[in-house]
Amino acid sequence: RQRRLVASWPAKNLSGPSGPLHCSPRITVIGPKLNSVHPHVQKLLGLQKVDLEVTSLTKDIDLLPEEEAKRKRRLDQLERAAIEAGAALQKAEVASRELDTAARDADAQINKLNERLNIVRNNAEYQATLFEIESVRKDRDTTQDEGLQILEALDGLKAAAAATKAAYESERTVFEGFLKEAEKMRGERADDIAAARKKRDASADGVPPDLLREYDGLYKTRENFAVAPIDGGYCQGCYNKVTPNDAARAMGSQSIVRCGSCQRILYHGA
């Protein structure tokens, strides 16, 4: 739009001691004011300032759920490892006791068979008893060998069970400390966050819903910088050149201008 000057003079003639006073006309500028900002953009600038305050208060808190989930997964992994190691140790101990019992039973059976040799009545029965003794002895030796293998493995299984349990207990202590600190942080910032969000609601009041949704999307996707100034003909959000036409439109307050490169809402910097 064209800007024009309108001159006007006082309605009354004024005079002084030396005669009539010559008055200069008043100059009135009609047309859009240069270097002004669209009222909605002005409100968005204020809203962006408040949103940055909210972000600074909630940034760490917003990361807590993800961090908590990450730590909980690690804790669950260590717990499963401790349970599995404990179960392996328990299984080996049970097997060791069973094999020891089986070896003792075999020894007792061999003793009874040896006693039978003293009362057999013929050679055939004697030879059968000897064969049975040898068979039981072989089974006992196999059982004892298996028992020795398990006994040799027990020390390693005990060490693994102790280590995994200690790792789990240590991580659980750290996790519980994290939860307490997270809750403390939330409590300490609760009032400030509530006040900032109340201020945010007040700052957003009066912004058209469609424009507010556009701004919210840009704030999230443009690194908390939705409304950017034009400086030297460049968008200060993406540092790309703004077209002369868009730069001229941004100098007025008649329309909302967006950067053709990053879609940020633009205003003309001071």
Side-chain angles (χ1 to χ4, degrees):
R1 297 181 180 180
Q2 296 292 329
R3 293 165 58 83
R4 56 193 178 91
L5 303 179
V6 177
S8 59
W9 285 263
K12 297 181 179 180
N13 293 325
L14 301 178
S15 60
S18 304
L21 296 176
H22 298 283
C23 300
S24 299
R26 293 191 296 268
I27 306 298
T28 303
V29 181
I30 297 179
K33 182 181 178 182
L34 294 177
N35 295 328
S36 60
V37 179
H38 191 286
H40 291 160
V41 177
Q42 189 69 55
K43 288 189 71 68
L44 290 180
L45 279 170
L47 179 59
Q48 183 169 260
K49 182 178 180 181
V50 176
D51 277 341
L52 288 171
E53 179 183 348
V54 174
T55 299
S56 68
L57 289 170
T58 60
K59 183 178 180 181
D60 293 340
I61 292 177
D62 290 343
L63 294 175
L64 289 178
E66 182 179 353
E67 181 64 22
E68 180 178 340
K70 178 181 176 181
R71 289 172 178 262
K72 185 64 168 60
R73 287 194 297 270
R74 171 62 178 165
L75 183 64
D76 290 344
Q77 289 174 352
L78 291 175
E79 183 179 24
R80 285 194 296 271
I83 291 173
E84 290 172 0
L89 174 61
Q90 184 178 19
K91 181 179 179 180
E93 289 175 336
V94 170
S96 177
R97 288 193 295 268
E98 289 176 348
L99 290 171
D100 182 66
T101 299
R104 291 176 183 274
D105 291 344
D107 285 336
Q109 187 178 1
I110 290 172
N111 289 335
K112 288 181 181 181
L113 291 171
N114 282 327
E115 291 174 359
R116 184 193 301 176
L117 289 176
N118 296 324
I119 59 174
V120 293
R121 298 178 180 181
N122 55 60
N123 186 58
E125 187 177 354
Y126 186 85
Q127 294 297 324
T129 302
L130 285 177
F131 179 81
E132 186 176 357
I133 290 173
E134 184 63 23
S135 177
V136 172
R137 183 177 288 116
K138 286 181 178 179
D139 289 342
R140 182 203 61 188
D141 291 344
T142 300
T143 298
Q144 287 178 335
D145 289 341
E146 292 176 357
L148 288 174
Q149 291 177 357
I150 291 177
L151 284 175
E152 291 174 353
L154 276 177
D155 287 341
L157 291 172
K158 288 178 180 178
T164 53
K165 183 179 180 180
Y168 167 69
E169 294 294 342
S170 176
E171 187 66 23
R172 186 177 68 175
T173 300
V174 173
F175 182 68
E176 290 173 351
F178 166 79
L179 293 179
K180 290 180 180 178
E181 287 299 319
E183 190 61 28
K184 180 181 178 182
M185 181 187 295
R186 291 188 179 100
E188 289 175 344
R189 297 188 185 180
D191 291 342
D192 290 340
I193 292 173
R197 284 176 172 163
K198 185 176 180 180
K199 184 178 177 182
R200 202 263 181 196
D201 292 339
S203 298
D205 187 38
V207 179
D210 290 346
L211 182 59
L212 184 59
R213 282 193 293 271
E214 178 184 358
Y215 162 83
D216 288 338
L218 288 169
Y219 187 83
K220 292 177 181 178
T221 59
R222 295 294 184 267
E223 300 177 342
N224 306 335
F225 193 18
V227 187
I230 300 172
D231 189 5
Y234 290 86
C235 168
Q236 295 303 294
C238 65
Y239 300 104
N240 283 313
K241 185 74 173 177
V242 177
T243 66
N245 182 53
D246 284 343
R249 291 171 56 222
M251 293 181 70
S253 59
Q254 304 305 305
S255 60
I256 296 175
V257 182
R258 293 152 180 91
C259 175
S261 298
C262 67
Q263 288 74 52
R264 285 180 172 90
I265 298 168
L266 298 175
Y267 69 96
H268 206 281

